[in-house]
Amino acid sequence: MTTRLRGRLIGGVVLAAWVAVLAQHVRREYFAPELEQLAAAAMALNPGTRFYSLTMGGRSVGLATSALDTVPDGFRLDDYMSLELPALGQTGTAVARTRVDLDPSLRMRGFSFSLESDVGRFEAAGSVRGDTLLEVAITSQGSRQSISYRMAESPVFSAVVPIRVAMGGHLEVGESVRMPVFDPSTLASRTVEVRVLEHDTLVVPDSVSMDAGGRWAPASFDTVPAWKIAEVFGGVSVESWVDEDGRVLRAESPLGFAMETTEYELSTQALADARSSGTTAVDEDVILATAIQSNVDLSDAESYEELRFVLSGVDLSGFDLDGGRQTLRGDTLIVRRENPRALDPGFGLPYPRMDLREALQPEPLIQSDDPRVIEMAEQLTVRRASWSPDPRRVAQELTSGVYNMLEKTITFSVPSAVQVLESRQGDCNEHTVLFVALARALGLPARTAVGLVFVNGAFFYHAWPEVWLGEWTAVDPTFGQYPADASHIRFIVGGLAQQVELVRLIGRLDIEVVENSRAD
């Protein structure tokens, strides 16, 4: 594969992290103080619609709205976000919509979430049964799934935390609260800590008028008491300024993304100006801005049987750096490329034991039990009912099959195996989710690895599969590598829900190549 083509595929992980981080700006979490107190306090909530301008590096990249309404039996919050994200010379366009229905004490009754982009539409809708059972229906490219979540506490949804903080009387500097969170963009839960950091007064546009040049400009301003809160998860901190009702006024993330309340005319005008300029600086490109320059040219990385890296600038605890092909010694990471001739799986497909059950089961976005996925898996490996395939051969055939099947393009979406199978395009996330589903459909244990890979003089964030061949073996269907070269540095094992944890590396991690060993 040419380095130019490889360069078009490295951005999927960063964009996936963006999905999760951006979601934090327009969808917040809540915790549950006394319900009676909340119900009484919520009666004072002021319904209304807020408009936001979305920027990156001072350049407009989108707009958002958040509308809070009262309904006969509680409240409804509708959020809308339209984003035009610059990535490797392309503009990835996505529209996210979220609705959450709340009872009078602001507990969630149900929700809907959709993300629409150039490659398709992803939808999830859920409702609460009793206090802790969340039932979710997922639709992607005509495929529909139903799943249930039994939670220890009343389900937490990412739309209401500042309002809950405010209505619960917790907007006090120094307050800190931990809570379970369900994120509809990843269909997973995580623990979030909310901290109240500061109190100040912000000045925001209150009305607009058209100037002599035919452009909109603020006509008046309002001063608003505001509290700065931080939502901390996986080492990532997303900070926001909120008003006394908990409505967001301003927010920013470690990725250089910001949103700020404004008037509708100003937000649309700023986006139109950005579109007409037709230029994007390198530091405004979400992919190029996250690259880590290498001190050694590893363009021939496939010729190395082992590479050694010194990792610095960040706390490495909590990452999946040690195990399998990787060995961590202090701050030095040794990555060994597996020798395919030396692999000894010790089993025939399907995998016969229960110890790797999690790597064999279907998941909400990895529909390995879908008839279309099963049919494609069998087609790519020419599987016959009368024999048990060699897992090494199947892994290699799936790697080349997915590589040849998909058009290489940057996408901004919530990828699912069925959606990828229909669209036949995508970046590393699409290649990986389809490979994992195909492998599991044939009884080959597979999982997602996320980290960095060397491309065009730098390390970029990337995703690839690992398959069980007697040991967890890295393959890369995005680049057509079996096994994957030793420049693949794994930090995380897991899908979209875990990828957001990479954000705490961005802008901080340094990588130095210190020693290498070529293959014979």
Side-chain angles (χ1 to χ4, degrees):
M1 174 182 289
T2 65
T3 55
R4 180 179 180 184
L5 183 54
R6 289 183 64 172
R8 294 176 59 192
L9 298 167
I10 52 179
V13 167
V14 172
L15 294 182
W18 266 74
V19 171
V21 172
L22 295 179
Q24 294 303 120
H25 290 306
V26 293
R27 303 187 306 275
R28 303 294 183 189
E29 293 74 33
Y30 67 83
F31 57 89
E34 292 296 326
L35 298 182
E36 294 83 0
Q37 175 188 350
L38 280 170
M43 294 178 65
L45 272 174
N46 295 311
T49 301
R50 295 284 177 86
F51 300 98
Y52 300 93
S53 178
L54 311 180
T55 61
M56 181 180 176
R59 180 182 185 272
S60 178
V61 294
L63 50 85
T65 63
S66 180
L68 178 67
D69 292 319
T70 56
V71 292
D73 56 350
F75 300 89
R76 173 171 292 166
L77 186 65
D78 283 289
D79 289 335
Y80 168 89
M81 178 178 67
S82 177
L83 184 68
E84 299 176 6
L85 195 63
L88 297 180
Q90 304 178 50
T91 299
T93 302
V95 174
R97 293 179 173 86
T98 306
R99 167 174 288 184
V100 57
D101 292 308
L102 308 165
D103 71 10
S105 59
L106 302 178
R107 290 189 303 177
M108 182 181 71
R109 286 175 168 162
F111 79 91
S112 63
F113 170 76
S114 68
L115 180 65
E116 190 167 3
S117 67
D118 297 336
V119 298
R121 181 180 177 88
F122 170 86
E123 298 177 81
S127 59
V128 180
R129 305 300 180 197
D131 291 327
T132 60
L133 181 64
L134 180 60
E135 297 179 344
V136 181
I138 306 160
T139 305
S140 178
Q141 296 296 111
S143 173
R144 184 177 175 86
Q145 292 176 274
S146 297
I147 55 177
S148 297
Y149 293 84
R150 175 69 70 180
M151 299 184 178
E153 303 177 39
S154 183
V156 175
F157 184 79
S158 56
V160 195
V161 65
I163 298 174
R164 292 290 297 243
V165 171
M167 296 301 100
H170 292 274
L171 281 181
E172 297 289 340
V173 176
E175 286 265 11
S176 177
V177 182
R178 294 175 65 86
M179 68 204 77
V181 171
F182 174 78
D183 183 352
S185 66
T186 60
L187 300 177
S189 59
R190 65 168 64 94
T191 297
V192 174
E193 181 181 8
V194 179
R195 304 170 184 168
V196 183
L197 305 178
E198 299 179 37
H199 175 53
D200 205 343
T201 300
L202 299 186
V203 178
V204 301
D206 188 51
S207 63
V208 296
S209 62
M210 189 169 288
D211 62 20
R215 292 181 59 79
W216 294 106
S220 62
F221 294 87
D222 190 15
T223 56
V224 181
W227 288 260
K228 187 177 185 180
I229 66 172
E231 298 176 55
V232 182
F233 53 96
V236 179
S237 178
V238 178
E239 298 181 350
S240 309
W241 285 93
V242 302
D243 65 14
E244 61 185 0
D245 281 342
R247 305 298 300 279
V248 175
L249 300 169
R250 184 184 300 165
E252 59 186 31
S253 80
L255 290 172
F257 170 84
M259 65 180 290
E260 187 167 5
T261 187
T262 187
E263 293 296 294
Y264 173 75
E265 295 84 354
L266 297 177
S267 64
T268 55
Q269 179 175 269
L271 186 57
D273 290 345
R275 289 170 176 166
S276 64
S277 69
T279 58
T280 302
V282 170
D283 59 359
E284 294 173 0
D285 188 300
V286 68
I287 307 304
L288 297 179
T290 62
I292 303 171
Q293 294 302 310
S294 176
N295 64 309
V296 173
D297 184 3
L298 296 177
S299 298
D300 57 346
E302 288 189 75
S303 67
Y304 293 94
E305 64 180 13
E306 183 180 287
L307 290 170
R308 297 189 177 213
F309 310 92
V310 171
L311 309 178
S312 60
V314 296
D315 181 1
L316 299 178
S317 61
F319 289 112
D320 293 305
L321 286 164
D322 200 19
R325 62 167 16 203
Q326 297 189 179
T327 302
L328 184 63
R329 297 174 180 170
D331 61 358
T332 300
L333 182 69
I334 305 168
V335 182
R336 168 187 56 86
R337 187 187 192 194
E338 300 90 345
N339 181 349
R341 295 185 299 274
L343 292 170
D344 182 16
F347 66 92
L349 295 181
Y351 185 77
R353 297 183 291 276
M354 299 295 291
D355 56 323
L356 299 177
R357 181 169 51 186
E358 289 187 1
L360 288 164
Q361 293 179 330
E363 297 179 28
L365 302 178
I366 301 176
Q367 304 102 321
S368 55
D369 57 350
D370 187 283
R372 290 164 292 182
V373 173
I374 296 171
E375 181 182 0
M376 179 56 67
E378 295 181 345
Q379 178 181 326
L380 290 176
T381 59
V382 198
R383 186 180 182 187
R384 303 178 183 85
S386 59
W387 51 273
S388 181
D390 180 350
R392 293 167 297 187
R393 182 183 63 81
V394 166
Q396 186 172 15
E397 290 178 344
L398 289 180
T399 299
S400 61
V402 173
Y403 171 76
N404 291 320
M405 185 191 313
L406 302 188
E407 178 187 351
K408 318 304 178 188
T409 182
I410 290 290
T411 61
F412 191 74
S413 67
V414 179
S416 75
V418 169
Q419 173 256 312
V420 178
L421 196 57
E422 292 292 325
S423 69
R424 301 294 179 95
Q425 62 177 303
D427 52 44
C428 60
N429 276 312
E430 281 74 19
H431 284 72
T432 299
V433 74
L434 179 57
F435 179 99
V436 171
L438 294 169
R440 293 182 182 181
L442 297 175
L444 175 60
R447 66 187 190 183
T448 299
V450 187
L452 295 109
V453 67
F454 179 91
V455 178
N456 296 344
F459 290 92
F460 289 83
Y461 290 92
H462 187 56
W464 61 92
E466 290 184 342
V467 293
W468 182 257
L469 301 176
E471 60 181 271
W472 284 112
T473 303
V475 299
D476 195 335
T478 309
F479 298 155
Q481 293 181 356
Y482 170 84
D485 68 50
S487 77
H488 290 68
I489 304 175
R490 184 195 65 229
F491 273 83
I492 291 170
V493 172
L496 290 175
Q498 287 73 39
Q499 289 184 22
V500 69
E501 297 179 19
L502 290 174
V503 175
R504 66 184 172 108
L505 300 176
I506 295 176
R508 300 178 178 89
L509 177 65
D510 290 319
I511 301 175
E512 180 185 2
V513 184
V514 293
E515 189 177 338
N516 51 66
S517 175
R518 289 185 181 273
D520 295 334

